[in-house]
Amino acid sequence: MAALTIAGFAREGDVGVETVRYYQRRGLLDTPDRPQGSGASGSIRRYGIDDVRRLRFIRSAQAAGFTLEQIGELLALDATDDRARARELANERIEALDAKIQELERVRASLRHLARECGSGSAGPCPILQAFDHA
């Protein structure tokens, strides 16, 4: 892979240029130095395969629900090989996911109940609409 401009780098990571800049401001991505010299590529920053790999790591970790702060810690842990802390962060994320799953299961059960009531054909206002009317 040839050296990429910020636009190409963002495209490789499936993010926008402003997202790259945001990650740089947060310290998750390095900002390459501008090369000295003149010509077509005079002062354009270039990104390489390691930068793309890091950007993809950030996006994957976000998809798993890690916060940017946690992702920063995971990236730092990569240099230290602190598996215990990485495992701890993963377990914290699993606990949060389990809590969210329980919450979603409660909501699903409530909606199923409301849908059954609504389908019973009884007279009066729809139970689904009533459940969401907090007036």
Side-chain angles (χ1 to χ4, degrees), residues 20-56:
V20 169
R21 290 184 177 129
Y22 178 71
Y23 291 161
Q24 289 170 333
R25 286 191 304 271
R26 294 288 305 258
L28 298 172
L29 291 173
D30 291 332
T31 303
D33 293 328
R34 292 184 187 272
Q36 300 300 315
S38 60
S41 63
S43 64
I44 298 174
R45 292 185 169 105
R46 299 292 176 166
Y47 299 83
I49 189 68
D50 289 338
D51 298 309
V52 172
R53 210 174 278 125
R54 188 172 179 108
L55 178 56
R56 289 178 178 163

Side-chain angles (χ1 to χ4, degrees), residues 79-95:
T80 66
D81 199 31
D82 185 352
R83 290 182 173 205
R85 179 60 184 145
R87 197 171 41 256
E88 184 180 325
L89 284 168
N91 286 329
E92 288 173 7
R93 187 66 203 124
I94 291 167
E95 287 176 18

Side-chain angles (χ1 to χ4, degrees), residues 59-115:
R59 298 296 291 158
S60 294
Q62 276 187 307
F66 287 97
T67 65
L68 292 181
E69 186 174 286
Q70 291 168 327
I71 292 169
E73 186 173 356
L74 287 170
L75 288 166
L77 289 173
D78 186 39
T80 66
D81 199 31
D82 185 352
R83 290 182 173 205
R85 179 60 184 145
R87 197 171 41 256
E88 184 180 325
L89 284 168
N91 286 329
E92 288 173 7
R93 187 66 203 124
I94 291 167
E95 287 176 18
L97 287 170
D98 287 343
K100 186 67 173 177
I101 289 168
Q102 287 179 338
E103 176 188 341
L104 289 171
E105 286 175 343
R106 282 192 301 273
V107 170
R108 180 179 59 194
S110 294
L111 285 173
R112 279 187 177 151
H113 174 75
L114 290 170

